[in-house]
Amino acid sequence: MEELSHWINGQHVKGTSGRFADVMNPATGEVQARVPLASKEELDAAVADAAAAQPAWAAMNPQKRARVMMAFVQLINRDMDKLAEALSREHGKTFPDAKGDVQRGLEVVEFCIGAPHHLKGEFTDSAGPGIDMYSLRQPLGVAAGITPFNFPAMIPMWKMAPALVCGNAFILKPSERDPSVPLMLAELLKEAGLPDGVLQVINGDKESVDAILDNPVIAGVGFVGSTPIAEYIYSRGCANGKRVQCFGGAKNHMIIMPDADLDQAADALVGAGYGAAGERCMAISVAVPVGEETADRLMEKLVPKVEALKIGPYTSGDDVDFGPVVTAAAKENILRLVQTGIDQGAELLVDGRDFSLQGYENGFFVGAHLFDRVTTDMDIYKTEIFGPVLSTVRAKTYEEAIGYAMDHEYGNGTAIFTRDGDTARDFANRINIGMVGINVPIPVPLAYHTFGGWKKSGFGDLNQHGPDAFRFYTRTKTVTARWPSGIKEGGEFSIPVME
């Protein structure tokens, strides 16, 4: 069986803790590798080495750091299929979806090539007699990222690319469920010219996470995962004086107005609700048709589309719609919540509980489920299921529909399907959710805008990627400089003011 490693000081390093986690093949249910789980001592040693490597990297001018990102982009494109295959094998995504995972991370790396522009400070000439004032954007020093299983390429790149190009050293703690792609990305960064020690990939579990949060050298931490863990990391990291950004769970609503193109809306719901087996924080998990007639028409279109979804391993070809979920425990939790929905009175229009794939009976496949007449007190409405389950909550009016989304504790993403510009504009302005789609079901911003949710979906003042990434991974220093000019002599004993 393959034994994976850490990536420390530019090379693969075996773990020394003696603890390992199994890396599964979700399609077969078999253990395909094991990954070491770092101890606090291993993590602290890697941080110390990163801190030693960081000053020389930060002293390199931003254009040279950006050139490393340029080379990284070329190498990712060269190895795209190789990265996607490794991702599919450990996560279970279809091959096209895995390539999309890599591509969306790559786009952030491309944005980071513009670092020389984004790191420019501000300058005021002659702020006072002989006085110039300017600001500098300087790296934090050592930053860390704790990333989830569901996007093992994209989110590590969202974290490490801006952190590195800003001049920081970076500690990446990827998910132990699918760690191979982050290690492959580290290899490519070394090939692109990143100095040894500037990026450390440390595999681990809670012990490693706590070591990151408690290590006094690490100045900033980024996290993506569930809301309870996000709250834990945010509170502990902030208590230790770190800059922290955490992105948690979601329950994304899509409102379908009576004037919407229902064929378009149904197609959007199928893709957004069931793609990647629903294991996306931006998945649509609640459909909210407005009016009984709209709901009935939508269900007529939706049911056959959901029933026709093709489920299988990534090796079955590009026409597979989604693959297995990541673990047996995830599958059990999804099916438990489905049963809870039935018990609490929701109508199960498409029942995927008995789904079984011949030849892959031990895989973690879950059939597609579609609920109708879900109410807000049901567990399937309140809980992030993270599986191929779409719930339909019928609303009588637009105001009732928007209220469902606004009252939910999560505020990651939302969408509305309508032909009416006034309704769309009102929705975009009023909704208390971080990312909004208008006739777009999964409104993930492109790399040059920022990604982030509100309410219990996001903790911290700055979002991921886009301009916020450069703000998060740097500190602003403001310099007031005066050079003697003979214009004025003698000491100043009162606070300077504008003249």
Side-chain angles (χ1 to χ4, degrees), residues 254 256-271 294 297-302 304-305 417 419 439 441:
M254 183 174 127
I256 302 96
M257 297 299 293
D259 67 338
D261 181 328
L262 291 188
D263 289 312
Q264 181 189 49
D267 285 339
L269 279 167
V270 170
T294 305
R297 289 168 55 215
L298 181 66
M299 291 303 106
E300 287 177 7
K301 294 179 180 297
L302 202 53
K305 292 179 183 291
F417 273 63
R419 291 186 174 97
N439 299 317

Side-chain angles (χ1 to χ4, degrees), residues 7 160 181-191 199 201:
W7 179 265
M160 66 187 181
V181 170
L183 292 167
M184 294 166 70
L185 293 172
E187 293 174 346
L188 295 183
L189 271 167
K190 178 181 174 72
E191 187 177 348
L199 172 66
V201 181

Side-chain angles (χ1 to χ4, degrees), residues 206-442:
K206 186 177 184 298
E207 182 175 343
S208 300
V209 170
D210 288 345
I212 287 171
L213 298 175
D214 295 341
N215 188 289
V217 175
I218 295 175
V221 177
F223 168 80
V224 178
S226 69
T227 286
I229 306 302
E231 290 179 309
Y232 171 79
I233 289 174
Y234 187 73
S235 60
R236 185 161 176 166
C238 289
N240 285 327
K242 303 183 189 305
R243 179 178 291 185
V244 186
Q245 58 172 193
C246 291
F247 300 92
K251 198 71 178 178
N252 304 318
H253 296 62
M254 183 174 127
I255 295 171
I256 302 96
M257 297 299 293
D259 67 338
D261 181 328
L262 291 188
D263 289 312
Q264 181 189 49
D267 285 339
L269 279 167
V270 170
Y274 301 97
E279 292 180 320
R280 295 171 175 160
C281 68
M282 288 296 287
I284 293 294
S285 53
V286 182
V288 188
V290 176
E292 288 294 322
E293 182 183 353
T294 305
D296 290 342
R297 289 168 55 215
L298 181 66
M299 291 303 106
E300 287 177 7
K301 294 179 180 297
L302 202 53
V303 168
K305 292 179 183 291
V306 176
E307 290 177 335
L309 287 169
K310 184 176 180 180
I311 306 167
Y314 78 95
T315 51
S316 293
D318 291 353
D319 62 336
V320 172
D321 294 308
F322 67 88
V325 296
V326 71
T327 63
K331 176 179 179 177
E332 291 170 6
N333 185 59
I334 293 164
L335 294 178
R336 178 187 62 81
L337 283 164
V338 167
Q339 187 60 50
T340 298
I342 296 168
D343 294 343
Q344 292 178 348
E347 294 182 15
L348 187 59
L349 300 186
V350 179
D351 185 351
R353 288 175 295 172
D354 294 331
F355 178 83
S356 180
L357 189 62
Q358 186 175 2
Y360 294 89
E361 289 82 2
N362 294 324
F364 311 138
F365 291 95
V366 179
H369 296 79
L370 174 63
F371 279 103
D372 192 11
R373 302 188 187 279
V374 174
T375 56
T376 58
D377 58 336
M378 294 179 181
D379 289 346
I380 56 171
Y381 177 78
K382 295 184 288 185
T383 304
E384 182 180 34
I385 300 173
F386 229 56
V389 182
L390 179 63
S391 297
T392 306
V393 179
R394 297 183 176 220
K396 295 182 178 64
T397 64
Y398 166 70
E399 289 296 330
E400 183 181 345
I402 196 172
Y404 289 141
M406 293 184 72
D407 292 343
H408 203 284
E409 65 176 345
Y410 293 125
N412 207 45
T414 188
I416 187 168
F417 273 63
T418 181
R419 291 186 174 97
D420 187 279
D422 288 340
T423 301
R425 190 170 187 274
D426 178 78
F427 181 78
N429 287 333
R430 286 173 57 193
I431 200 75
N432 58 348
I433 289 170
M435 290 169 283
V436 180
I438 297 171
N439 299 317
V440 175
I442 305 180

Side-chain angles (χ1 to χ4, degrees), residues 108 111-112 114-115 117-120 137 158 162-163 165-166 243 245 445-451 461-474 476:
V108 170
F111 177 74
C112 289
H117 171 73
H118 295 293
L119 293 173
K120 288 190 302 186
R137 302 202 71 90
W158 282 11
V165 84
C166 285
R243 179 178 291 185
Q245 58 172 193
L446 294 176
Y448 41 87
H449 289 267
T450 67
F451 177 108
D461 297 327
L462 293 169
N463 286 340
Q464 300 182 100
H465 65 65
D468 270 12
F470 286 88
R471 298 184 186 104
F472 182 78
Y473 289 113
T474 59
T476 302

Side-chain angles (χ1 to χ4, degrees), residues 156-200:
M157 283 191 271
W158 282 11
K159 299 296 186 186
M160 66 187 181
L164 291 169
V165 84
C166 285
N168 298 284
F170 195 72
I171 310 298
L172 174 63
K173 206 302 284 182
S175 172
E176 63 275 22
R177 295 176 186 170
D178 42 17
S180 289
V181 170
L183 292 167
M184 294 166 70
L185 293 172
E187 293 174 346
L188 295 183
L189 271 167
K190 178 181 174 72
E191 187 177 348
L194 187 72
D196 292 346
V198 175
L199 172 66
Q200 315 279 50

